[in-house]
Every structure is written in C-alpha cells, then in structure tokens.
Amino acid sequence: MTDPAPAIELKGISKAFGPVQANKDISIRVMPGTIHGIIGENGAGKSTLMSILYGFYRADAGEVWINGNKTEIPDSQAAIKAGIGMVFQHFKLVQNFTVLENVILGAEEGGLLKPSLAKARGVLKHLAEEYELSVDPEQLIENLSVGHQQRVEILKALYRQADILILDEPTGVLTPAEADHLFRILDNLRKEGKTIILITHKLREIMEITDTVSVMRRGEMTATVKTAETSPEQLAELMVGRKVLLRVDKKPAAPGETVLDVDNLRHVDRHGVERLKGVSLQVRAGEILGIAGVAGNGQSELLEVLGGYAEGTGAVRLRGQEIALAGRGSDGQARRARSIAHVPEDRQTEGLIMSYTAWENTVFGYHHDPRYQSGPLMNNALIREEAAGKMERFDVRPPDPDLAARNFSGGNQQKIVLAREIDRDPDLLLVGQPTRGVDIGAIEFIHQEIVRLRDAGKAILLVSVELDEILSLSDRIAVMFDGRVMGERRPDETDQTELGLLMAGVTERPEGDAMSAIDRSLEAKETREAERHG
Amino acid sequence: MDFATILQVLDSTVRLATPLLLACLAGLFSERSGIIDIGLEGKMLAAAFLSAAIAATTGSVWWGLLAGIVGASLMSGIHGLASITFRGNQLISGVAINFLASGLTVLIAQDWFGQGGRTPSLMGGGRFESITLPLAETLRPVPVLGPIYAELISGHSILVYVAFLMVPATWWVLFRTRFGLRLRAVGEAPEAVDTAGVSVIGLRYAAIAICGLLCGLAGAYLATGLQAGFVREMTAGRGYIALAALIFAKWRPWYALYACLLFGLLQAVALRYQSIDLGGVVIPVQVMDALPYILTVVILAGFVGKAIPPRAGGEPYVKER
C-alpha cells in the first residue's frame, strides 16, 4: 500500500507586503487525519500563510496542493469548495442572528430560507452527537458564551463539509475547561479523518494535541518535527532563535508588611451594571498577587478603580492610609503621587499615545515632576536624555527615542510602558496583561523585571488571563468570577484544573463531569445578567 | 368633527404617507446593508424633477416614471461608488448628493423650460390617475365600511398601492429569502459574509440599487401623483423625515409603515386645519406645519426608546489580515 496523498501540501509559498517579506519559500505537508501545529511569534507569518490558504491573499509564488491535486484558491469561496474551513481568532459571526442562520449564511440551499433552515437543523443535530458539539440552534449568538460561539464557527465549517479545519489561536478566549473540551472535539474530528491545522503561540497546546508541528520565524519555516520527538524548550528555541528560559526563575517570596489593603470594593459601570461586587484582598511588600479569571469578570475594573481611571465605593488603603475612590484626589495623578504605578491592560489605548515619540511616552503621567520643568517650558532635553537611558536599561529595540510608539513591536511598546512605570520605583505596581501579544523573548525579559521589582520589596498586583503566567509569576493567586474573588490559592498547592473551575465560578470540585458543572455555573451567570438587563 | 371629515383627513394621510413610505423602505434596504443614506432627499428630488420633465415632454407619465427611477438610480450609483468602492465617508457622500440634486434640478429645469426652475404643469396622460377599485360605487351606501372602501381604500394612484404592497414584500424579502439573510448579515457583520464566500460589495450594490428604485418611485409619485409638476425643493425635507421614520421604526418594514402613517397624519392634519382653536388659545398655522419636522427632531435626538442600528452601518468594509 502506498502512502495517501497529503491533505494539504504547500510548495514554496512566498508573499511580500511592500518591503516586508511575510512568507519566504514555505513548504509543508500535512497528512490526512492528523493535527498539525504551526507555532511562531507574532509577526512570524502564520496568519499570512493561513490567509493564503483560505483565499484572503494570493501568494506571490508557490503552489497549493489539496489531496494530491494542485488547487488555485483565489477567494474564500474556492477555499470552501476545496474543503477548507477556518475558525478565526475573532469570530466571524452575526451577533443578532440565530445559530442556524449563521450556519447557513452563504451555504443556503435555494432562494428561500425555510428548506435550508430545516436541513441545517437536522445536520446540526447529527454533528452535535458525533463530535460533542452541542449548541442550541435557535439561540441568538449574542446570548452564547464564547466557548459556544466557537463551536458555532466549527459547525459552520463542518456544515460546509470541510475536511481540513484551520484554527487560529483558538484557546485565547477560553477557560481551561472550555479549552479541554475544544481539544476533545478536535480529537473526535481527527478520529473521523479530518485534518486540522492549529495555529498557536502556546507551547503547552502544541505538546498536548498535535501530531506534527512546524515552527515559523520571521516569515520562514525553521523546522517541522514530530511532536512526540520534540520538547517545549526545543520549540521555544526554534521560535526565538536562541535559548529561552520558559520557567520564571525566582526565589521564594519574603513578604513584608501589607502595602495594599482592598476592603469590600464595589464598582458600577456607566450602563448601571455592577462589575465589582465587594472585592477584598491584600498585597504585601515583596509579593506578587496574581488575579486569574476569564476576561470580563471584573479584573479590568479592579485595575481601573485602583489606578484611578474609574470610581468605586468601599475602602482601599495604601500602607494603612485611606485612598480616595471618587471625586477629588481619586484620579491617576493622585495615585502616582502616592507611589502607585500602573501598567494598563491595553497599552495601545491606555498605556501609550501611539503617534507620539518614545521619549514623550516615557514621561506621560510624570510630566508634572518639577525636575522636568524649565520655567514655563518643559525640559525636553533632559526628558529625552533620560528616555534614552530607560530604553537602554529595558532593552527596547530599536533604542531610538525619536521613533513614534506605533513603530515599535508589541513587546517593545510594553517595555516602554514598563520602563516609565518601574523607573519611578513605585511602592505598588498594578500590572494588567503584561505579555499580551508579546513575543516569547520579550516575555522572558518582562517577567524577570517584575520579579526583580518584587525582590526589591515592592508590592505587585498582577492581572492576566494567561493562566500559565499567573501560575509561574504569582506568590499568591486570587481567582475572580462575576465581580467577586472566588478564592485564594498558592501556586504550588493548586493546578490548572482547580483554578479553571474557580474561574467558572465553581468553588467545590464536582463529583461527576467538570464541564457540566461549569456549564451550569455559566448559565446561572447568564440568566442573572439577562434578568438585570430585562 | 364628523365621519366624512375624518375620512378626508385619513385619505390625505395615505397620500402624504406614500412618498415617505417609499423613501423609508429605500433607506431600509440601504441601511440594512450597512450603507447609511442621508441622500434620500436628493434622490427623491432628482427623481421628482426627471419624472415631471420627461412626463411633460413626452406626455406619458410612464416614461416619466422610468426617467425618475433612472435619475434616482444614478444618484444611488454615485453614493455607492463613493462609499462602497472608494470607501469614502457615507455621510459626506449623502450630503453631496443632496446638494447636487438641489442645485442641478433647478438649473436644468430653468435651462430646459424657462419657467423659473419649475416644469410645466402636467395634464392628462402626464399624471398618474386615481384608480377606482371594483365595486367602489356599488358599496358606497353600506354604512361605515362603504365610505371607508370607496374613499379611503379606493381612488388612489397606482403608486400608492405599490408603496403599501412594498411593506409585506420588503418583510418577506428580508426575513424569508436568502438574499434577505445575506443583506441583513452584511449590515451587521460584513466579515461573516466575506468569510462565507459571499461578496460584500455585490450585496451592498444590490441594496443601493433597490434603494435607487424605491427613491425613484417616491420622487415620481411626488411630482406626477401627489402634485402636477416639479417645483424647486419640492421634497421639502421628506427624505429626512423618512430617515427619522426609519430610526423610529428600528429598521423594520411594518414599523416603517406605522411611522410613515404617523408622519403622514401630522402633515394631513396641518393641511386640513390651518389653525386650531383650543379653547381660546389659537395654534397658528406655522406650528401645525412645523409638527412633522418637530417630531423628526425629537426622534433623531433619540427621545424615542433605544434604536439599535445595523452594527456595520457607516463603516466601509476593509478586509483585515
């Protein structure tokens, strides 16, 4: 028996955007019925490659072969016809349509909707049973959890009879339990002979589910290996081009006095929805408190209230001194005066002014400092000179203070924000999503800086949706769900599963199926929200 | 106020609501596809002028109607080119169309007919005649229902019936057909349509074409049905009122009918009662005339509930990486 033809074979794909070579002579073979991982840093060219495969871009050179036949893919229609389905990182769903309407959109049977809807209802029922892909077909998308919305995307592809499924960073928005369920679905699909391409920057996922893995760096395919024959360390090295420390290297914490004391903090947003429902926590000197949780459960609001972006009620004390939570003296300026530094979650809208230069960005928020004044004017020469020093110390590349913030990569933008905040030697550092969209190499550096600050006896409140990051950096972990702290754990006494349950609002380990307990909890939360809106 | 007067006011409501309804449904198709259209006014005006001019020249209202549709469609095409193909600002393009129509109609009319920017009065075959429905006269003696049928339902021009039939037709197209599903989707999430392998641009041009057709009917009705000829600025803000009705109706066809009837009623009342005496306080005619516009301002200022427009409205579609 001869080997079957590869489900997908790319031969010498190249694509340039102006002077930027996004893909350089890339070749892969993916065998049918396997899961192939593509891993690489941001901007390595993974998404460009997949966009070519899905007909969004045309390659400058190279060939695509599907099931042994050379195939032209000029547009998405052709990709669908060739049996390729794509699950994008940002879902392409119509929010106020039902699941069924979304599934049939573009794949209707005829001019009228009724027969198409009836057919889809039947197919969905069948798919739900076969692959653990159950969703209520009559439900509106906007009422579904993110995990269920993702299932709809997979159903859309399967309804179009896709044999090849591409998933772009599918777990970025999921709780660990939802991610586990997704992997079960993928495993079922593989057993049915479907071919899956999984694009991710998470090494753990690659190791867990893929059969083979390709590594991309700067538009080139640096290696393709069997997953069983590689290790996370080797993959990281292939991605970055040098040895990378995956574990954060830190000594046990030596916590001192309580720096931040938050007592029964509440916050109501401008839509009248209560986002913080009585949060209490403490952070001590020389300690990192990690806040874990699925995005949208109050962590952002916690940072905003503490950082002086939003008002709240309750009590917050810094070294025993009360801090104003509303009205005068509750703004960011007042917080900075109390030695609270803030690295906001969204560096592009809150942390930086993208069109301003790096040196200007290194002083925002601290520009009232008398040191930077020169009569009625600002002492720009001094600011610029100091900026160059900060950029050098924080390894910002390129180290050019005159470059606009938007011209730096995500990791280097983040380093500029960190340089500005950490350089003031704050007593308390609030830091949100420090490594979101940041390359592995820069992650290593940012983590080391945060740990260094801790070792210098500072208190750090870390918010991150990356559970790995929380587990490796934190000295204590508080899990937030629906505006409350569900519980505190020590990283060495807990695991992803327990944290994942807390993140879904389940406080006790369930006897039976963890997923159904999570579903129940999330449904209860959705009902509460619906009632509040109604 | 006796029964006959009420019937007359309602009859006039139906006539006055017709151009609003056609323009409102035109806007509905456009905005449901994600193209905001404040150029309804200009398209109607262009159609009103062209239909009156051609009807006056040829003596046939049908040629006039066709010319009106062509005129409005051309205007629609310009809007489409600017906002779909060249991804321009839809508001600016719409305003430009309004200015263009306002100036061009008078200029051409003056050059063509030399009557101070108006067309000659239409007579005979140059106007839409009212249609008497079967049995209208026979049923007239029947109490209540007879006069309603004979006065209110019968005796309008063909375009009035077309306008009212467009309501269920629009509903059916939007919610029961493949085209409607895709049209609604492209106004909410064009990226979903694009990734499903359907052309966003094609759908939006189709919506714009329907919008042009309906604006053409609306304008032609103004100049050849409601009135007998074109006068400058004869749309008198009806395009904006239709837009307000569209928001009031939350972009739904049946609600659009009710909203347009409400505006039509206000206009009819203002026409019928030039001043109203409310127990000594006389409301002057100017206030009555202003009522539809005041309601428009109130609606546009968002005082009437929460209207959620199509999510992708006003945004040119650009493929993301």
Side-chain angles (χ1 to χ4, degrees):
Chain A
M1 208 183 114
T2 54
D3 274 354
I8 303 174
E9 185 166 14
L10 301 178
K11 296 181 180 174
I13 297 280
S14 291
K15 173 79 188 172
F17 295 100
V20 183
Q21 190 77 30
N23 286 161
K24 218 179 293 172
D25 190 27
I26 289 186
S27 302
I28 337 178
R29 287 158 64 93
V30 183
M31 301 311 284
T34 64
I35 299 183
H36 185 89
I38 295 185
I39 194 163
E41 299 190 314
N42 296 302
K46 297 170 295 189
S47 296
T48 305
L49 188 65
M50 290 308 118
S51 297
I52 290 170
L53 196 49
Y54 197 65
F56 261 36
Y57 298 136
R58 307 220 43 178
D60 300 336
E63 293 173 0
V64 178
W65 291 63
I66 309 280
N67 297 322
N69 303 311
K70 185 166 184 279
T71 312
E72 291 291 327
I73 304 179
D75 53 30
S76 304
Q77 191 81 60
I80 294 166
K81 207 171 280 170
I84 300 172
M86 179 117 179
V87 176
F88 291 90
Q89 188 177 5
H90 303 286
F91 305 147
K92 311 289 183 189
L93 295 171
V94 184
Q95 288 291 317
N96 59 357
F97 275 21
T98 64
V99 170
L100 270 186
E101 287 174 325
N102 269 287
V103 166
I104 64 167
L105 181 65
E108 305 90 342
E109 296 290 304
L112 296 183
L113 291 183
K114 220 169 202 172
S116 311
L117 289 170
K119 182 192 161 197
R121 208 168 277 132
V123 174
L124 249 51
K125 193 153 178 270
H126 173 72
L127 289 174
E129 285 160 11
E130 198 171 357
Y131 301 114
E132 297 187 55
L133 267 167
S134 56
V135 261
D136 176 3
E138 313 295 340
Q139 192 60 256
L140 293 179
I141 297 296
E142 58 198 3
N143 296 337
L144 294 179
S145 69
V146 179
H148 280 82
Q149 291 189 16
Q150 190 172 57
R151 287 186 206 172
V152 178
E153 284 284 18
I154 297 173
L155 285 169
K156 263 168 73 180
L158 295 178
Y159 185 73
R160 288 160 172 74
Q161 289 168 343
D163 285 321
I164 300 162
L165 210 57
I166 306 169
L167 294 105
D168 190 3
E169 302 281 359
T171 59
V173 287
L174 303 182
T175 64
E178 282 175 323
D180 284 347
H181 189 100
L182 172 69
F183 285 168
R184 273 213 305 287
I185 294 169
L186 295 186
D187 195 37
N188 288 338
L189 289 167
R190 168 166 57 187
K191 282 183 193 140
E192 292 295 318
K194 308 274 185 196
T195 309
I196 294 163
I197 296 185
L198 180 71
I199 301 172
T200 181
H201 65 272
K202 294 183 184 170
L203 293 163
R204 196 166 54 81
E205 291 172 0
I206 291 284
M207 299 309 293
E208 201 173 315
I209 185 89
T210 63
D211 300 303
T212 49
V213 53
S214 297
V215 184
M216 289 188 72
R217 186 171 81 228
R218 290 182 192 166
E220 285 179 88
M221 196 66 86
T222 50
T224 297
V225 288
K226 282 202 166 63
T227 311
E229 295 167 3
T230 186
S231 65
E233 288 75 16
Q234 190 199 358
L235 289 177
E237 192 180 334
L238 286 166
M239 273 166 74
V240 184
R242 62 178 169 84
K243 280 219 181 296
V244 179
L245 209 54
L246 287 179
R247 298 291 312 171
V248 178
D249 193 17
K250 66 178 170 91
K251 300 190 292 279
E257 53 156 348
T258 299
V259 174
L260 178 72
D261 181 9
V262 177
D263 188 16
N264 198 24
L265 184 65
R266 288 171 186 276
H267 167 72
V268 177
D269 72 11
R270 60 198 161 88
H271 302 295
V273 179
E274 193 170 31
R275 292 294 180 183
L276 296 177
K277 302 172 179 173
V279 170
S280 298
L281 46 84
Q282 284 86 36
V283 191
R284 293 190 286 172
E287 175 189 59
I288 300 175
L289 175 70
I291 308 276
V294 181
N297 278 291
Q299 312 94 305
S300 305
E301 288 79 5
L302 178 65
L303 277 184
E304 283 170 13
V305 173
L306 293 178
Y309 289 39
E311 300 194 335
T313 55
V316 174
R317 283 173 285 269
L318 188 76
R319 295 191 188 285
Q321 299 257 315
E322 194 96 15
I323 279 179
L325 291 176
R328 283 177 67 87
S330 73
D331 59 3
Q333 201 66 44
R335 294 285 196 278
R336 284 186 206 98
R338 302 284 294 270
S339 196
I340 300 176
H342 185 185
V343 177
E345 287 188 305
D346 187 341
R347 59 177 167 269
Q348 301 204 341
T349 59
E350 295 168 340
L352 296 166
I353 300 181
M354 298 298 279
S355 58
Y356 281 29
T357 61
W359 70 262
E360 286 168 318
N361 271 298
T362 56
V363 76
F364 285 135
Y366 303 105
H367 51 279
H368 293 301
D369 191 321
R371 254 178 357 102
Y372 297 135
Q373 317 300 324
S374 159
L377 302 177
M378 299 206 64
N379 189 349
N380 284 346
L382 175 70
I383 298 173
R384 211 178 154 283
E385 191 189 311
E386 288 191 4
K390 287 179 204 168
M391 288 172 77
E392 198 193 318
R393 196 175 89 55
F394 279 82
D395 191 29
V396 179
R397 281 180 245 172
D400 177 2
D402 293 318
L403 210 58
R406 82 163 83 80
N407 294 331
F408 290 90
S409 72
N412 286 302
Q413 286 172 4
Q414 190 71 312
K415 287 184 199 165
I416 294 176
V417 180
L418 280 164
R420 177 180 72 214
E421 302 298 334
I422 293 182
D423 193 65
R424 301 295 298 194
D425 200 22
D427 288 347
L428 170 66
L429 179 70
L430 309 168
V431 48
Q433 320 297 350
T435 57
R436 175 147 68 191
V438 170
D439 299 337
I440 288 195
I443 289 176
E444 184 189 13
F445 180 86
I446 290 170
H447 283 174
Q448 283 168 355
E449 279 303 315
I450 292 174
V451 170
R452 197 190 54 75
L453 198 67
R454 178 203 76 167
D455 292 342
K458 310 298 182 182
I460 292 161
L461 181 78
L462 164 76
V463 169
S464 175
V465 292
E466 297 285 350
L467 213 40
D468 286 334
E469 180 165 56
I470 292 282
L471 275 167
S472 56
L473 271 185
S474 311
D475 300 309
R476 273 187 307 129
I477 299 170
V479 183
M480 280 187 75
F481 172 73
D482 198 18
R484 292 187 179 86
V485 174
M486 299 307 290
E488 276 192 21
R489 298 287 186 273
R490 297 200 155 275
D492 47 359
E493 291 165 2
T494 185
D495 55 27
Q496 297 248 355
T497 315
E498 189 186 24
L499 291 177
L501 287 168
L502 286 170
M503 282 160 71
V506 182
T507 41
E508 282 167 39
R509 283 206 187 228
E511 301 268 317
D513 178 19
M515 201 59 209
S516 57
I518 287 172
D519 274 345
R520 275 198 304 278
S521 170
L522 292 178
E523 265 162 37
K525 182 189 170 196
E526 274 162 26
T527 315
R528 282 199 300 277
E529 271 165 17
E531 280 166 4
R532 204 161 44 200
H533 289 301
Chain B
M1 213 190 305
D2 58 16
F3 185 55
T5 320
I6 292 177
L7 267 190
Q8 279 171 16
V9 171
L10 291 182
D11 184 51
S12 147
T13 299
V14 168
R15 290 170 204 276
L16 289 163
T18 296
L20 295 178
L21 183 55
L22 285 166
C24 188
L25 293 176
L28 191 146
F29 274 100
S30 181
E31 301 213 342
R32 278 279 189 167
S33 84
I35 304 292
I36 289 181
D37 195 352
I38 58 165
L40 293 173
E41 176 87 0
K43 289 177 206 171
M44 268 163 91
L45 196 63
F49 166 68
L50 271 178
S51 59
I54 296 298
T57 317
T58 63
S60 160
V61 68
W62 292 103
W63 284 115
L65 177 64
L66 187 67
I69 291 173
V70 169
S73 298
L74 279 177
M75 289 290 194
S76 242
I78 296 174
H79 187 48
L81 204 63
S83 55
I84 304 172
T85 305
F86 296 120
R87 299 182 191 136
N89 185 306
Q90 298 170 8
L91 292 179
I92 291 175
S93 165
V95 169
I97 281 178
N98 288 341
F99 280 135
L100 197 65
S102 165
L104 272 184
T105 48
V106 177
L107 180 79
I108 299 174
Q110 174 61 24
D111 188 53
W112 191 339
F113 300 105
Q115 295 187 7
R118 44 169 68 224
T119 61
S121 283
L122 299 173
M123 278 168 292
R127 282 196 71 189
F128 277 107
E129 296 298 328
S130 48
I131 297 172
T132 308
L133 293 181
L135 301 179
E137 290 312 308
T138 325
L139 288 174
R140 191 181 282 276
V142 178
V144 186
L145 290 180
I148 288 183
Y149 183 69
E151 288 279 329
L152 192 56
I153 300 179
S154 172
H156 296 288
S157 83
I158 177 89
L159 289 183
V160 175
Y161 299 108
V162 168
F164 280 81
L165 286 176
M166 277 311 296
V167 176
T170 301
W171 174 84
W172 186 79
V173 167
L174 272 186
F175 297 102
R176 286 292 177 269
T177 69
R178 171 175 64 189
F179 174 71
L181 183 79
R182 293 177 174 185
L183 188 80
R184 285 183 289 134
V186 83
E188 289 288 334
E191 68 281 2
V193 173
D194 192 21
T195 50
V198 182
S199 163
V200 172
I201 290 176
L203 275 171
R204 289 192 164 165
Y205 268 110
I208 287 280
I210 297 174
C211 173
L213 171 77
L214 291 174
C215 280
L217 292 179
Y221 176 74
L222 269 185
T224 64
L226 199 61
Q227 292 172 35
F230 172 84
V231 291
R232 62 182 305 163
E233 302 292 350
M234 76 180 302
T235 43
R238 282 186 172 86
Y240 299 109
I241 294 179
L243 215 54
L246 183 60
I247 295 169
F248 198 21
K250 302 186 175 166
W251 293 268
R252 290 161 189 272
W254 285 105
Y255 292 150
L257 172 65
Y258 309 143
C260 290
L261 282 174
L262 175 65
F263 280 108
L265 178 68
L266 288 177
Q267 290 182 339
V269 169
L271 272 182
R272 182 75 174 74
Y273 301 99
Q274 287 294 298
S275 53
I276 287 183
D277 190 347
L278 287 178
V281 184
V282 178
I283 299 176
V285 57
Q286 288 84 353
V287 172
M288 296 304 294
D289 283 340
L291 266 186
Y293 301 96
I294 293 171
L295 183 64
T296 304
V297 170
V298 170
I299 290 171
L300 289 179
F303 285 110
V304 186
K306 191 176 159 201
I308 301 167
R311 226 160 295 201
E315 294 286 327
Y317 179 61
V318 185
K319 244 178 223 207
E320 59 179 311
R321 293 178 70 175

